Amino acid sequence: MEKERNQYLTVCALTAYLKRKFDADPYLAKVYVTGEISNMGRRRGPHLYFSIKDSESNAVINASMFGYERRIKFQPEEGMKINAIGRVEIYEPRGSYSIILESMTPDGVGELFLAYEQLKRKLQAEGLFDLPKKQVPLFPKKIAVVTSPTGAVIEDIARTVQRRFPSAQVILFPAVVQGEKAAPAIIRQLQRIDNMDFDTLIVGRGGGSIEDLWAFNDENLARTVASMKTPVISSVGHETDNTLVDFVSDRRAATPTAAAELATPVTLQQLTTRLQELHLRQISRIKQMIDMRQQRLNRVATHVIFQQPDRLYTGYNQRIDQLSHALQQLTKQKVINEEHKLAAILQRQQQLQRSLLQPVQERLQLLSTKLDLVSPLKILSSGYAIVEHDNKVVRSITNITINDEIDMRFSDGHATAKITGVQHE
């Protein structure tokens, strides 16, 4: 019984045995698998977990790729058919097996081409290709060139600029244009140039395979070019080569020479010819203006006003006489009207004065008559006299004595008398 029990293996022991078999099998150390991606989306940091499915039998095997971003250029998608290379391993805690991928390529299409198309669709969906394009200055002073210092690109550009617009200065910013270090090197130079005073920037390299031009399909480089303040002209590869940098640049040139021509839209010869044309047009225009002014001056000089200048103010004199006469008539009429108003006011005042004073005058006359009746002067006219002594009226015999001089007032004069005797009643 105990012997039979020793024949049983634990799950852990069985799984460990199978793992040793898998690890020792040379056919499982490197297997080539083709199928469709399934259960996509299990990304854990830099690692990728998914399944590979056989489209005919629906057989499935789990797959893992560690550090997938440095191993492949494209983005794996659900349902994509791939060719993968890896090793088969057993995961002991669960007793499941999976394939650990070392490389993976799309089936039927190049890896780089697929990565290029995927990134192109992504940037296009973001609208990066539809951003407003900056205008290249007509008369550049400084042109920056980012390319390899040893290639023919910089020589072609410098030669073309010198021929077309010699006053423009071409400055080389050397950078690696091929390999893994190319994109970061180009980005550093672009950022450096954008903080400087350059009119135009040319970035590019000569022709080559898609692998040679791959640095110009870098996503960070494309976004850097799209965000540049300086107008960018791309000249990557030949006319049939199209990189992502071409789509986000402000202008695209097929060759370095064409790029230099785009950077100098106007040649020195064209500028000189244009200036000469403008100079001739200016002279012709000035002459035409002088002739027009001369004709106008002649017409003005022969005008009748200058021949008979008194006609300028004849009408004004007549108008002044008419206005002066009208003003006199108006003033005279206004004075007459005011005199009539004053006479009417005075008449009304006299009437009002008579109507107001008549009762008073009648009453005054009555009172005057009454007063006159009791007036001392009235009494004097009846034969009486007023006796005064020392300027005081003598009202009683007691007010005078013998030998006093008295003054007597009659109605028609005065008389002086002396008292010779006094008799009391």
Side-chain angles (χ1 to χ4, degrees):
M1 191 70 162
E2 184 176 352
K3 182 178 179 180
E4 291 180 358
R5 188 177 297 139
N6 290 335
Q7 293 178 350
Y8 291 92
L9 297 175
T10 63
V11 174
C12 180
L14 178 59
T15 305
Y17 173 78
L18 293 175
K19 178 173 175 55
R20 286 195 300 272
K21 287 291 186 180
F22 273 60
D23 292 342
D25 191 335
Y27 294 104
L28 299 179
K30 188 173 185 178
V31 295
Y32 296 80
V33 178
T34 182
E36 295 180 358
I37 294 178
S38 179
N39 295 325
M40 193 67 217
R42 294 182 295 163
R43 292 180 173 86
R44 298 175 186 173
H47 310 312
L48 185 65
Y49 301 90
F50 58 97
S51 301
I52 300 176
K53 181 179 67 173
D54 192 334
S55 59
E56 296 180 358
S57 63
N58 290 328
V60 177
I61 183 173
N62 291 331
S64 304
M65 178 176 277
F66 302 107
Y68 75 96
E69 290 182 342
R70 59 182 173 81
R71 293 179 181 271
I72 59 177
K73 301 291 186 182
F74 67 99
Q75 289 293 329
E77 298 176 355
E78 185 75 19
M80 179 185 291
K81 191 172 182 180
I82 59 169
N83 297 320
I85 302 174
R87 69 183 186 278
V88 179
E89 287 188 352
I90 287 183
Y91 184 58
E92 292 187 61
R94 287 203 304 258
S96 62
Y97 76 95
S98 63
I99 181 170
I100 309 301
L101 301 181
E102 296 177 0
S103 65
M104 180 171 55
T105 58
D107 185 24
V109 64
E111 178 184 10
L112 292 181
F113 180 75
L114 178 60
Y116 167 81
E117 289 296 329
Q118 288 178 333
L119 185 54
K120 179 181 176 183
R121 288 196 299 268
K122 176 184 176 182
L123 298 181
Q124 191 169 21
E126 293 180 11
L128 212 65
F129 300 161
D130 301 323
L131 294 175
K133 302 300 183 182
K134 296 178 286 295
Q135 293 294 326
V136 176
L138 294 178
F139 311 110
K141 296 179 181 178
K142 294 168 59 179
I143 301 174
V145 180
V146 179
T147 188
S148 171
T150 58
V153 174
I154 183 62
E155 295 181 3
D156 292 345
I157 292 175
R159 189 183 309 111
T160 304
V161 172
Q162 176 65 26
R163 172 175 54 83
R164 289 174 58 85
F165 204 74
S167 62
Q169 183 181 9
V170 178
I171 300 177
L172 171 65
F173 288 81
V176 179
V177 293
Q178 184 174 331
E180 295 182 357
K181 297 181 180 180
I186 296 173
I187 290 174
R188 286 194 298 271
Q189 294 291 41
L190 293 181
Q191 293 173 341
R192 178 184 173 192
I193 293 169
D194 214 25
N195 293 323
M196 302 171 70
D197 186 21
F198 280 91
D199 300 297
T200 309
L201 187 156
I202 300 175
V203 58
R205 56 155 291 157
S209 65
I210 187 172
E211 291 82 7
D212 297 335
L213 305 179
W214 188 250
F216 294 90
N217 290 320
D218 182 80
E219 181 177 359
N220 292 331
L221 176 56
R223 294 186 183 278
T224 301
V225 172
S227 64
M228 293 282 289
K229 300 188 296 291
T230 307
V232 178
I233 300 174
S234 66
S235 175
V236 181
H238 299 299
E239 186 172 1
T240 56
D241 298 322
N242 287 310
T243 65
L244 296 180
V245 169
D246 293 329
F247 291 108
V248 296
S249 296
D250 298 297
R251 301 293 296 273
R252 196 259 175 180
T255 63
T257 300
E261 291 175 351
L262 291 176
T264 53
V266 179
T267 66
L268 180 61
Q269 180 62 39
Q270 291 173 336
L271 182 60
T272 303
T273 303
R274 182 59 176 166
L275 289 176
Q276 291 175 349
E277 292 176 356
L278 292 176
H279 180 65
L280 294 176
R281 288 179 58 184
Q282 186 180 33
I283 292 176
S284 175
R285 180 60 179 166
I286 293 175
K287 185 177 182 303
Q288 184 181 7
M289 291 176 62
I290 292 175
D291 292 340
M292 292 174 59
R293 297 296 190 276
Q294 185 63 49
Q295 293 175 6
R296 185 177 179 183
L297 178 61
N298 294 336
R299 288 196 302 269
V300 171
T302 57
H303 196 275
V304 65
I305 292 299
F306 290 95
Q307 302 299 323
Q308 300 176 359
D310 58 324
R311 296 179 60 176
L312 280 172
Y313 50 84
T314 301
Y316 292 106
N317 289 337
Q318 294 176 353
R319 181 62 176 164
I320 290 173
D321 292 341
Q322 294 174 357
L323 293 175
S324 176
H325 179 71
L327 180 61
Q328 292 177 358
Q329 295 296 323
L330 182 62
T331 304
K332 182 177 179 181
Q333 184 63 39
K334 194 170 183 64
V335 171
I336 293 174
N337 293 339
E338 294 299 327
E339 289 178 348
H340 290 166
K341 291 181 181 178
L342 180 60
I345 291 173
L346 292 176
Q347 185 177 4
R348 290 180 58 191
Q349 183 181 13
Q350 291 175 358
Q351 293 175 355
L352 182 60
Q353 183 177 3
R354 284 195 297 270
S355 62
L356 292 176
L357 293 180
Q358 184 175 0
V360 177
Q361 289 176 345
E362 292 177 353
R363 181 173 176 79
L364 179 61
Q365 186 176 3
L366 179 61
L367 292 176
S368 178
T369 303
K370 292 181 178 180
L371 182 63
D372 187 58
L373 292 176
V374 294
S375 174
L377 297 177
K378 188 72 173 176
I379 297 173
L380 292 178
S381 62
S382 300
Y384 294 95
I386 297 174
V387 180
E388 294 179 351
H389 176 60
D390 293 334
N391 294 326
K392 294 180 180 179
V393 176
V394 179
R395 300 180 184 277
S396 173
I397 193 65
T398 60
N399 295 129
I400 56 176
T401 58
I402 297 173
N403 295 325
D404 285 341
E405 288 186 358
I406 60 174
D407 181 62
M408 292 181 295
R409 177 184 296 181
F410 297 94
S411 61
D412 54 354
H414 293 265
T416 301
K418 187 174 182 180
I419 302 298
T420 55
V422 176
Q423 183 180 356
H424 296 275
E425 292 288 335

